[in-house]
Amino acid sequence: MPGAGDAVARLVREEGTRVLATLVRVTGGIDLAQDAVQDAVVRALETWPRDGVPDNPRAWLVVTAKNRAVDLIRRENRRAGKEAEAMTWIDPAPEPPEVVRDDLLRLVFTCCHPALNLEAQVALALRTLGGLSTAEVARALLVPEATMAKRLTRAKQKIAQARIPYRVPAAEELPARLSGVAATVYLIFNEGYAAGAGADLVRVALTREAVRLARLLAELMPDEPTVLGLLALMLLHDSRREARLDGEGRPVLLADQDRERWNPEAIKEGVGLAGAALRRSPGRPDPYAVQAAIAACHALAPSYAETAWDAIVSWYDVLLTVQDTPVVRLNRAVAVGERDGPAAGLALVDEIAGLDAYPWWHATRAELLHRLGRAEEARAAYGRALDAGMSEPQARHLRGRLGEL
């Protein structure tokens, strides 16, 4: 039954990340944990379709991976000390009550060690604990895949050479690591919200996991504007999930979405959190809080035609004062194009440098050129967007727009 096999593979993929986080914690090292979990995943894919899925799949994977880790340690030359250590993994000592209890969240904190630069922190956390491939991490951070592979290797080498422990950070260490943790959680959410490749536009397991992690962060740091803004932003985006795809899995643009299908509870919570985050960062607004304010403008608009584009452009102007990046400038240009017309938007898009490998820069140009009736230029821009790579549903949408020219 191919359907059953696909379901098992999806379940194993979704559980595998948390299992890896647990194994890194109990073994104290990433390479051993990855080897052990990979073997457990292979066994699950071999046996579950035949024998049935266990009642507790994650526990099965954890036990199998722990046993495999013990076997791997026993094979090493340093058996005497290591084997005794491995036995403690089966029944670890109790932890103090103030530690971060969620394995995945605390391993994200661990990857975001100050000894690594921010980009390396985020890349390592996304690759190791976010469940993203090297190619997906490269797309998320807008760098070539080969560059990202080298960056990940260097980050792991630095952790090994500096003997940075995979341990629970102390409470006073949490704020210094928050920037990398927040970026990691949001990029996990983004990959779930709009997958960069593959057959599905939305990967619900990733968006749910990111929201879950953000809620845990909010419990840890309830007055931190970064955390409140991050959770608000994700809730407001995720509130549109049910309206973003048609019956055949094709993307439905914001202008065409049925707003009755948006989640009002998520919108209400997200708007409230956005307000709280802005109030807690009056002097220098937190970037996530400002992005949440932009998302709130969309969420509260009765219809696309009634969207407060003036307010959205103003919020983008605020965002540029704290996060001036090419992608932010691109998003602002889209908003200006909606407010002032496609020619005004295109002029701003063409001023942005550094996004030639980013498919949505080309797609935005293509759409604006399309609206202006500049068919040949639009065709070329759609083609470059498709060549840059994206998920199949997004590519189908762009091919459809290309076919209209």
Side-chain angles (χ1 to χ4, degrees):
M1 295 177 60
D6 292 344
V8 166
R10 189 179 308 111
L11 176 62
V12 170
R13 184 174 67 245
E14 291 172 1
E15 296 288 359
T17 300
R18 292 194 194 180
V19 173
L20 176 61
T22 299
L23 261 289
V24 174
R25 170 173 60 82
V26 298
T27 65
I30 191 170
D31 291 328
L32 175 61
Q34 286 178 321
D35 289 343
V37 172
Q38 182 60 41
D39 286 346
V41 164
V42 169
R43 284 194 58 190
L45 293 174
E46 290 173 348
T47 61
W48 290 3
R50 181 189 68 227
D51 302 337
V53 176
D55 292 337
N56 190 331
R58 191 183 309 163
W60 188 99
L61 286 166
V62 168
V63 170
T64 303
K66 279 184 178 180
N67 290 338
R68 180 56 177 160
V70 171
D71 290 341
L72 291 171
I73 284 293
R74 283 173 171 162
R75 292 181 183 180
E76 293 183 359
N77 293 331
R78 298 171 292 172
R79 283 179 58 178
K82 285 286 187 178
E83 187 167 336
E85 175 189 322
M87 293 305 101
T88 68
W89 301 343
I90 305 303
D91 186 19
E95 297 175 320
E98 68 274 10
V99 302
V100 180
R101 287 291 177 186
D102 184 81
D103 279 335
L104 183 56
L105 181 59
R106 67 184 184 172
L107 265 296
V108 173
F109 269 109
T110 300
C111 287
C112 295
H113 192 282
L116 303 174
N117 65 43
L118 182 59
E119 284 193 346
Q121 292 175 17
V122 174
L124 183 62
L126 286 172
R127 178 68 185 96
T128 305
L129 303 168
L132 275 63
S133 68
T134 301
E136 289 169 340
V137 175
R139 281 195 299 272
L141 298 180
L142 303 181
V143 300
E145 184 175 351
T147 300
M148 181 52 62
K150 293 176 183 176
R151 187 174 296 173
L152 289 165
T153 299
R154 286 196 298 269
K156 291 172 67 175
Q157 288 173 342
K158 186 164 187 177
I159 284 178
Q161 292 165 0
R163 300 184 181 276
I164 295 171
Y166 282 88
R167 63 168 176 79
V168 181
E172 63 270 16
E173 295 178 285
L174 299 184
R177 305 193 190 191
L178 181 58
S179 179
V181 171
T184 299
V185 172
Y186 188 49
L187 288 170
I188 292 172
F189 177 85
N190 273 346
E191 182 61 28
Y193 183 78
D200 300 320
L201 174 65
V202 178
R203 297 168 65 181
V204 176
L206 284 181
T207 59
R208 285 178 176 164
E209 185 68 358
V211 170
R212 186 186 72 84
L213 292 173
R215 289 195 184 282
L216 290 173
L217 279 173
E219 291 177 12
L220 276 174
M221 311 170 84
D223 295 318
E224 174 56 57
T226 294
V227 173
L228 299 176
L230 173 67
L231 180 56
L233 177 59
M234 294 193 298
L235 288 172
L236 289 165
H237 282 323
D238 200 43
S239 71
R240 304 197 293 264
R241 185 201 313 159
E242 295 301 321
R244 292 182 59 231
L245 300 174
D246 66 14
E248 298 179 15
R250 295 174 299 197
V252 179
L253 299 183
L254 183 61
D256 302 320
Q257 288 176 15
D258 178 1
R259 296 182 180 223
E260 294 295 319
R261 299 183 66 194
W262 290 2
N263 185 329
E265 289 80 15
I267 291 172
K268 181 178 179 180
E269 183 182 3
V271 170
L273 287 166
L278 290 168
R279 288 192 297 274
R280 284 168 170 78
S281 56
R284 179 179 171 81
D286 181 82
Y288 292 104
V290 178
Q291 291 175 79
I294 294 169
C297 289
H298 287 294
L300 296 174
S303 68
Y304 193 77
E306 297 172 273
T307 301
W309 292 110
D310 269 339
I312 289 173
V313 172
S314 295
W315 278 118
Y316 274 119
D317 290 338
V318 173
L319 184 58
L320 285 171
T321 68
V322 293
Q323 192 177 65
D324 189 348
T325 69
V327 172
V328 171
R329 289 188 172 273
L330 178 63
N331 291 334
R332 181 184 182 276
V334 171
V336 170
E338 294 294 335
R339 185 188 68 179
D340 301 336
L346 181 62
L348 292 174
V349 170
D350 284 341
E351 291 176 359
I352 302 168
L355 292 181
D356 194 57
Y358 188 54
W360 303 114
W361 183 76
H362 295 289
T364 300
R365 287 192 77 249
E367 184 61 27
L368 293 168
L369 289 164
H370 193 159
R371 294 181 191 180
L372 290 167
R374 293 161 61 175
E376 286 302 316
E377 293 171 273
R379 286 192 191 98
Y382 279 128
R384 284 193 288 272
L386 290 164
D387 289 343
M390 62 190 66
S391 69
E392 182 53 34
Q394 291 167 322
R396 281 202 308 270
H397 171 74
L398 289 194
R399 286 194 292 266
R401 292 293 285 162
L402 184 56
E404 296 172 9
L405 293 169

